[in-house]
Amino acid sequence: MKEFAYRRATGVRDALALVAADPGARYLAGGTNLVDLMKVEVEAPTRLVDVRHLPLGGVGEAPDGGLVIGATTTNSDAAADPRVRRRFPALSQAILAGASGQLRNMATVGGNLLQRTRCAYFADPAAPCNKRVPGSGCPAVAREHHNHAVLGWSEQCVATHASDMAVALAAFDAVVRYESPGGAGEIPLAEFYLPVGRTPHLETALPPGALITAVALPGAAASPRSRYRKVRERASYAFATVSVAASLDVHDGAVRDVRIALGGVASKPWRARVAESALRGGPATAERFRAAAAEELSAARPLRDNGYKVTLARNLIAAVLSELV
Amino acid sequence: MVDDARGEVSLRVNGTAHRLEVDNRRTLLDALRDSIGHTGPKKGCDRGQCGACTVLVDGRRVVSCLMLAVAADGCEITTVEGLAGGGELSPIQQAFVRLDGFQCGYCTAGQLCSAVGMLAEHAAGWPSAVTADVSPDLAAPRLDAAEVRERMSGNLCRCGAYPSIVRAVLETAARGQVAG
Ligand SMILES: Cc1cc2nc3c(=O)[nH]c(=O)nc-3n(C[C@H](O)[C@H](O)[C@H](O)COP(=O)(O)OP(=O)(O)OC[C@H]3O[C@@H](n4cnc5c(N)ncnc54)[C@H](O)[C@@H]3O)c2cc1C
Ligand code: SF4
Ligand code: FES
Ligand code: FES
């Protein structure tokens, strides 16, 4: 690990100023991703500004009936919150499906959104990787990619986003709130993660030096009939192979509203808008669910060794929707 | 070179106050083992993947290999050495001994601290990934083998003592001895 200076921020302004003053500075929250990557020198900040103790924790009510989850809320506290469990159960389930009890006690909502990919080449400084060293190449395309993307990738990078929580947030149209040296702002989750294109090293739409302060869940998206299901290579404590967050509102046998997002398939949580519009207004039948899932996945471009994800995603969408009827 | 690459840290470990001057790179795990001499917490992977380094920080279980010592400044820490009180093993420790909850013992300190944290989480009504319905309006999920396996999945055991670990945790929970 490279040497670094450490400071506990005394307030949001203080945190912003400390990071703005040092180009090598980074925010530190739970440290479960940043410290891990510092150990292999994939990350080498010169200064850590600890934001864990800022008064940005906790879950609050929003005027529209939604919830605002502070950026430093631990993953455990967000998942255990009664209002999250009642109104956005798929979010609680998604968080609980990630990492371990110990890690969820450390990890924060802000840090979870900004965790880096689990692509093994990214985590290996000896390997080329366009995300880590722009222009160095992407070994995953030709080599090991069984857990890489099937949707939305480019030749420059085929990595997936690893967060479970973000998949549920995408389904619920969450909005990321931040403070930055240039002022406060909001970014809908759908626009938060940038398309890979030719710039896989640019991952989010956050302005430089921005501090995430909260994630807002709109009241209109609240759905007790929502669910997160994750398939992985072992029963627990592993990243997703494919996951689905979905909510379904059925009235008189017809789909009144549906939200579907996929994890493990792209560089960002993949909102399945094609499937959603195919379903909206139509009958809520297993057959229609399968057809809509197939339509969504018709855009998939599997790599040599990850075609199984396409089948898996199709089946998982249909299965989760059927469970929600 | 970074000019302020070291920091002063106050930790209360198992009830005793410690003041240390550490390199900012030092993890809580290394500070506990090498600076304070509590070698109960073990270094298995040093990457947050095995749980051998689990300790309680302000009452919650964490992996101490991914927490920087400077980030733990001011915290109350319990290691496996602090679970027994007054010379008597805690209920979870007694259950591990009675039911063979370990073989080589390398993962045990982490398993024990994790179990204490996990039982408190369950007692607080937290659901898990195998809880069928996370609604807060239902009774808290009953602790069964599937719940224990899921909640303890952050602690790997190379010897495969899992069946006995699950039994020991379930027995301790059934006796209501949540405080460990
Ligand atoms: C063994 C292991 C297994 C895991 N399994 C899973 C899994 O199955 N599913 C899953 O989803 N995740 C998993 N994770 C990842 C884990 O969820 C993330 O590491 C965690 O959520 C990151 O949160 P943190 O608070 O620790 O972030 P940190 O590590 O502190 O920070 C991560 C990044 O976010 C930045 N940051 C943090 N907070 C802010 C803020 N408020 N504003 C701006 N920038 C900020 C930091 O600068 C850093 O770049 C696993 C991790 C480990 C180690
Ligand atoms: S897939 Fe992306 S992260 Fe992985 S090696 Fe290629 S460029 Fe790097
Ligand atoms: S040593 Fe900390 S989790 Fe393995
Ligand atoms: S008892 Fe040997 S690793 Fe668990």
Side-chain angles (χ1 to χ4, degrees):
Chain A
M1 205 187 291
K2 294 277 203 306
E3 285 194 323
F4 57 88
Y6 170 90
R7 259 285 271 290
R8 220 170 254 197
T10 56
V12 170
R13 291 284 130 214
D14 182 46
L16 292 174
L18 285 167
V19 164
D22 181 349
R26 298 289 292 278
Y27 297 114
L28 173 73
T32 60
N33 191 230
L34 186 52
V35 173
D36 192 30
L37 289 172
M38 285 164 65
K39 290 189 181 197
V40 286
E41 297 187 2
V42 164
E43 303 267 20
T46 51
R47 177 178 304 276
L48 289 183
V49 176
D50 193 340
V51 297
R52 188 80 205 261
H53 303 270
L54 292 183
L56 298 173
V59 181
E61 296 282 346
D64 70 344
L67 295 172
V68 179
I69 307 180
T72 58
T73 310
T74 62
N75 286 354
S76 298
D77 285 332
D81 187 274
R83 293 157 296 180
V84 174
R85 287 155 63 187
R86 194 175 289 126
R87 292 181 227 169
F88 302 96
L91 175 57
S92 184
Q93 291 170 339
I95 296 171
L96 292 169
S100 67
Q102 292 95 316
L103 289 160
R104 293 191 297 272
N105 280 340
M106 304 166 75
T108 63
V109 166
N112 189 314
L113 282 174
L114 295 181
Q115 66 174 292
R116 314 295 305 272
T117 182
R118 304 307 283 203
C119 173
Y121 302 110
F122 173 77
D124 173 8
C129 167
N130 285 329
K131 194 185 267 305
R132 185 165 31 74
V133 182
S136 62
C138 173
V141 174
R143 288 164 63 193
E144 176 55 46
H145 56 231
H146 81 282
N147 203 17
H148 284 62
V150 294
L151 285 160
W153 52 268
S154 81
E155 292 293 335
Q156 313 294 315
C157 177
V158 292
T160 58
H161 197 268
S163 169
D164 291 294
M165 181 191 80
V167 179
L169 291 179
F172 289 129
D173 284 317
V175 174
V176 180
R177 296 185 180 165
Y178 65 85
E179 290 279 352
S180 80
E186 298 195 338
I187 310 173
L189 205 88
E191 292 152 34
F192 185 74
Y193 298 106
L194 301 173
V196 201
R198 305 193 58 79
T199 52
H201 59 293
L202 303 178
E203 297 182 345
T204 75
L206 280 176
L211 176 73
I212 299 176
T213 53
V215 171
L217 290 156
S223 171
R225 294 209 68 74
S226 67
R227 185 159 165 70
Y228 186 74
R229 231 172 106 175
K230 175 178 181 181
V231 175
R232 39 189 159 177
E233 289 177 350
R234 59 184 184 195
S236 181
Y237 199 19
F239 286 91
T241 296
V242 176
S243 67
V244 171
S247 75
L248 183 65
D249 177 9
V250 177
H251 193 71
D252 284 341
V255 175
R256 196 151 60 178
D257 196 20
V258 59
R259 298 164 173 275
I260 307 165
L262 294 168
V265 297
S267 62
K268 58 175 182 172
W270 187 267
R271 184 73 183 267
R273 297 204 187 271
V274 173
E276 289 177 8
S277 49
L279 288 168
R280 217 169 270 122
T285 61
E287 199 183 319
R288 291 292 296 255
F289 297 156
R290 276 195 301 272
E295 208 177 320
E296 182 71 45
L297 270 300
S298 66
R301 290 178 299 143
L303 300 158
R304 183 192 65 229
D305 292 331
N306 68 359
Y308 73 98
K309 284 196 177 193
V310 179
T311 321
L312 194 51
R314 262 197 321 252
N315 292 346
L316 208 51
I317 292 176
V320 170
L321 291 177
S322 293
E323 282 170 38
L324 287 172
V325 173
Chain B
M1 251 314 267
V2 172
D3 46 1
D4 41 357
R6 300 180 69 81
E8 282 225 7
V9 185
S10 295
L11 302 173
R12 253 188 109 72
V13 185
N14 303 328
T16 305
H18 296 268
R19 190 145 186 88
L20 316 169
E21 207 237 306
V22 295
D23 186 305
N24 290 342
R25 292 173 291 187
R26 177 151 282 216
T27 61
L28 176 60
L29 175 62
D30 287 342
L32 289 170
R33 290 178 55 86
D34 301 339
S35 310
I36 300 180
H38 284 317
T39 52
K42 295 290 181 281
K43 189 181 285 191
C45 63
D46 210 24
R47 301 291 303 274
Q49 298 173 4
C50 75
C53 64
T54 303
V55 299
L56 302 170
V57 172
D58 293 336
R60 289 198 174 179
R61 54 179 175 158
V62 304
V63 284
S64 58
C65 68
L66 289 185
M67 183 173 276
L68 296 171
V70 283
D73 183 30
C75 290
E76 184 89 39
I77 292 151
T78 305
T79 67
V80 70
E81 289 94 336
L83 293 185
E88 176 134 344
L89 291 181
S90 65
I92 185 75
Q93 288 171 304
Q94 291 179 23
F96 265 62
V97 172
R98 195 169 52 247
L99 299 168
D100 291 327
F102 52 89
Q103 289 172 37
C104 78
Y106 198 82
C107 71
T108 311
Q111 300 277 3
L112 289 166
C113 289
S114 187
V116 171
M118 177 279 236
L119 289 170
E121 292 165 8
H122 177 259
W126 292 13
S128 85
V130 298
T131 306
D133 190 335
V134 297
S135 166
D137 306 315
L138 302 171
R142 200 177 67 82
L143 214 51
D144 57 14
E147 283 280 356
V148 172
R149 282 178 189 282
E150 166 57 30
R151 290 168 193 257
M152 292 291 290
S153 71
N155 291 84
L156 305 188
C157 173
R158 197 66 183 79
C159 299
Y162 299 112
S164 319
I165 293 170
V166 171
R167 271 197 294 279
V169 173
L170 281 172
E171 176 171 306
T172 308
R175 295 181 177 201
Q177 290 155 326
V178 165

